[in-house]
Structure formats: structure tokens, C-alpha cells
């Protein structure tokens, strides 16, 4: 894909994610169900954090494209390294996890992850923007250009560290409010919850490996932008 076309795509994707993140974080307080958006607001939900992550990623990608267009190649090289690290370790595996885990649990019992009371607050288009569109965007990014993956050990350590931070945030919210971020967590005993978190980490690691596999299958080992 031409750099100018990439720049246009990344700019549009950045604007889209910024708009979606803005929309969800500016729901009027009086419209929110009492049991939702307590301590931590929307920032306790992985879905919302992922929107911010994607906006940052596409912003960095657009900056890399612009630097390449104006021939600032030394600066572009550093930004491209950051872009590839963001995509490989976080943007692709988190988007894939958000989409697949949400719709799997929603199909099983929506009250565990997305109570029906939210239907009157969050429009249908916004729900799909947060939970559905993120996966096609991630796949399109892999098809659009190659990304250099870090050494496997480094990538998994970074991913595991971010997962640890989010789990710590979830547990902190529970310790303060006595309420779980997702009703699903209330179904588990402490050992069961630990096993659930471990299983979720294993799944997101598998998505990391899947992204690396797709990148290698499409672009080979040597072609990088």
C-alpha cells in the first residue's frame, strides 16, 4: 500500500477511535444505570481502555506515515519501532480478545458482561463500534503493512505485565467498592477467579501468537516497512 494511502487510512482510523472513545466517555451521568460506572467510571472496562489504546496506536501510525512522506527517515524509524511494538504486543491481541470474549459471553448470558439496562444508555452502533469493529480494524492493519514483532520473550513479558496491571486495577476496584467490574467475576471463588484470569491470559497470549503467525504468513520474515 502506498504511504499516502496508508497515511489517509491511519488518520481516518485515528479519528474514528477518538470519536468512539469520546462518545462512550461523555455519556451523561444521569443516563447511567445506578449499578454501572461506579468507582473508576468507564476506565475500569477493558473495552474502553482498548478504544484509547487503538486511538494511540493509529495516531502513532499516522505520525510514522507523515514522517516517511516528508523524508524524515531517522525520526520515522524510531516511531515505526514504537508503532510495531504497540500493534504486536497490545493493539492486535487486546482487540481480538475484546471482540471474541465479549460476544462469546454475551451469547451465553449477556447479563454477565453487558446488562440489558445498558441498552437504553449505549446505542447499538456504539456497542458494535466498541466490541465488533475492533477486530476487522486489527485484521485490516495486518493486511495493510508488515509489522516487526519483538523477540518472543520480550513480547510476552510486556503483554503479561500489562495484563497484570489491568487485573490489579480490577482487584483494587473490588477492594474499594465491594463490586466487581463484570458481574461474571462474582460467580467464582477466589481460586476459580485466579484460574479464570490465568485462562484469559493464556487466550490473549494465543491471540498474540496468532497475530505474529498472520504477519509472517502474509509478509514473510524479511519484508518490513
Amino acid at each position: 500500500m502506498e504511504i499516502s494511502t496508508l497515511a489517509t487510512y491511519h488518520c481516518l482510523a485515528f479519528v474514528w477511535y477518538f470519536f468512539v472513545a469520546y462518545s462512550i466517555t461523555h455519556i451523561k451521568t444521569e443516563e447511567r444505570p445506578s449499578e454501572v460506572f461506579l468507582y473508576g467510571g468507564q476506565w475500569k472496562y477493558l473495552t474502553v481502555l482498548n478504544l484509547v489504546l487503538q486511538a494511540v496506536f493509529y495516531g502513532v501510525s499516522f505520525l510514522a506515515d507523515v514522517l516517511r512522506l516528508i523524508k524524515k527517515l531517522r525520526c520515522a524509524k524510531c516511531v515505526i519501532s514504537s508503532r510495531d511494538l504497540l500493534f504486536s504486543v497490545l493493539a492486535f491481541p487486546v482487540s481480538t480478545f475484546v471482540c471474541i470474549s465479549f460476544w462469546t459471553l454475551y451469547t451465553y448470558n449477556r447479563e454477565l458482561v453487558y446488562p440489558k439496562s445498558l441498552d437504553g444508555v449505549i446505542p447499538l452502533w456504539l456497542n458494535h463500534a466498541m466490541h465488533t469493529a475492533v477486530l476487522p480494524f486489527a485484521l485490516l492493519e495486518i493486511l495493510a503493512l508488515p509489522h516487526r514483532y519483538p523477540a518472543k520473550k520480550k513480547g510476552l513479558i510486556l503483554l503479561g505485565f500489562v495484563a497484570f496491571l489491568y487485573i490489579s486495577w480490577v482487584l483494587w476496584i473490588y477492594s474499594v467498592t465491594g463490586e466487581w467490574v463484570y458481574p461474571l467475576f462474582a460467580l467464582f471463588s477466589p481460586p476459580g477467579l485466579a484460574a479464570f484470569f490465568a485462562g484469559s491470559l493464556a487466550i490473549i497470549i494465543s491471540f498474540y501468537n496468532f497475530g505474529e503467525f498472520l504477519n509472517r504468513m502474509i509478509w514473510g520474515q524479511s519484508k518490513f516497512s
Side-chain angles (χ1 to χ4, degrees):
M1 189 179 292
E2 295 292 330
I3 298 177
S4 58
T5 305
L6 278 174
T8 301
Y9 163 65
H10 285 144
C11 181
L12 292 175
F14 168 74
V15 171
W16 165 252
Y17 274 113
F18 183 87
F19 169 70
V20 174
Y22 178 88
S23 298
I24 192 63
T25 55
H26 283 75
I27 294 175
K28 294 180 181 179
T29 304
E30 59 270 18
E31 294 178 349
R32 302 172 185 175
S34 58
E35 72 274 16
V36 182
F37 305 143
L38 295 172
Y39 183 87
Q42 296 97 330
W43 305 112
K44 60 177 174 283
Y45 297 108
L46 184 61
T47 295
V48 178
L49 295 175
N50 181 55
L51 294 176
V52 176
L53 167 65
Q54 300 305 318
V56 170
F57 165 70
Y58 283 105
V60 171
S61 297
F62 177 61
L63 175 60
D65 297 334
V66 170
L67 290 173
R68 292 172 69 194
L69 283 171
I70 63 176
K71 307 301 182 182
K72 298 290 185 179
L73 299 183
R74 182 174 298 179
C75 294
K77 185 176 181 180
C78 179
V79 177
I80 288 172
S81 295
S82 299
R83 177 202 70 189
D84 289 347
L85 189 65
L86 270 174
F87 180 77
S88 60
V89 175
L90 294 177
F92 182 84
V94 174
S95 286
T96 307
F97 181 81
V98 164
C99 179
I100 293 178
S101 63
F102 175 82
W103 288 112
T104 298
L105 292 169
Y106 185 98
T107 301
Y108 174 71
N109 182 355
R110 65 169 298 176
E111 293 299 318
L112 297 177
V113 289
Y114 194 83
K116 194 172 180 62
S117 57
L118 288 176
D119 287 347
V121 179
I122 300 177
L124 182 62
W125 74 265
L126 187 52
N127 181 20
H128 283 292
M130 294 188 296
H131 298 115
T132 308
V134 292
L135 181 54
F137 266 105
L139 293 173
L140 182 57
E141 179 66 20
I142 283 187
L143 293 173
L145 75 164
H147 297 83
R148 186 180 297 276
Y149 272 66
K152 181 63 66 72
K153 183 178 180 180
K154 177 183 177 181
L156 294 182
I157 287 175
L158 288 173
L159 178 58
F161 178 70
V162 173
F164 171 77
L165 289 179
Y166 180 68
I167 292 172
S168 298
W169 175 226
V170 167
L171 295 175
W172 172 258
I173 291 171
Y174 178 75
S175 71
V176 171
T177 67
E179 298 286 340
W180 286 110
V181 170
Y182 298 103
L184 169 68
F185 296 161
L187 301 179
F188 296 104
S189 64
L193 188 61
F196 176 82
F197 285 147
S200 297
L201 179 59
I203 291 172
I204 203 169
I205 287 174
S206 72
F207 292 146
Y208 171 94
N209 290 326
F210 180 61
E212 185 177 30
F213 169 78
L214 287 179
N215 188 71
R216 184 174 64 252
M217 290 295 295
I218 295 170
W219 299 105
Q221 294 283 9
S222 59
K223 185 179 179 182
F224 296 99
S225 63

